[in-house]
Amino acid sequence: IFFLFSFFHSFVLIIQSSHLQASVNNEQIRVIPVPMLDDNYSYLLIDENGVCAVVDPAEPKKALAAAEALGVEISVVLTTHKHWDHSGGNKEMASLIPGLTVVG
């Protein structure tokens, strides 16, 4: 089963079973799913230089722990929509990471 997700017209993510890969302007991006709440996921997007964005960190401490385990620092939060289970952790993330950029 293939799913195609287009984000800002330059980001394409293809998911086949549990294999995740992405490219942005021909640069490879690691996509790491992070379980959130009881039935949701956040995703760490890590580029070839170790720059990390997190998508929908409803539980900031889980996202931060996952990033720390991978040896990267989150610099951007991407929010897909305003439901609490997606954007509910944005304020806490911003308070935990000075200078964090929050999009959405």
Side-chain angles (χ1 to χ4, degrees):
I1 298 174
F2 288 90
F3 298 94
L4 182 63
F5 175 73
S6 178
F7 184 78
F8 289 113
H9 303 290
S10 64
F11 176 77
V12 177
L13 169 64
I14 300 171
I15 304 172
Q16 180 182 12
S17 301
S18 62
H19 178 72
L20 299 164
Q21 74 180 60
S23 64
V24 176
N25 299 327
N26 295 321
E27 182 175 331
Q28 290 301 304
I29 304 291
R30 288 190 297 160
V31 181
I32 312 298
V34 181
M36 295 280 152
L37 307 171
D38 291 330
D39 62 351
N40 219 342
Y41 284 89
S42 177
Y43 298 90
L44 298 180
L45 308 177
I46 307 168
D47 76 8
E48 294 172 345
N49 298 311
V51 175
C52 180
V54 63
V55 179
D56 294 342
E59 294 181 284
K61 290 182 175 125
K62 287 183 179 180
L64 289 168
E68 183 178 336
L70 294 166
V72 297
E73 294 182 14
I74 297 169
S75 58
V76 176
V77 170
L78 302 173
T79 309
T80 59
H81 60 283
K82 296 295 184 182
H83 292 166
W84 68 271
D85 59 337
H86 292 262
S87 65
N90 288 359
K91 286 184 182 179
E92 184 179 350
M93 285 292 293
S95 72
L96 293 170
I97 304 174
L100 179 72
T101 300
V102 178
V103 178

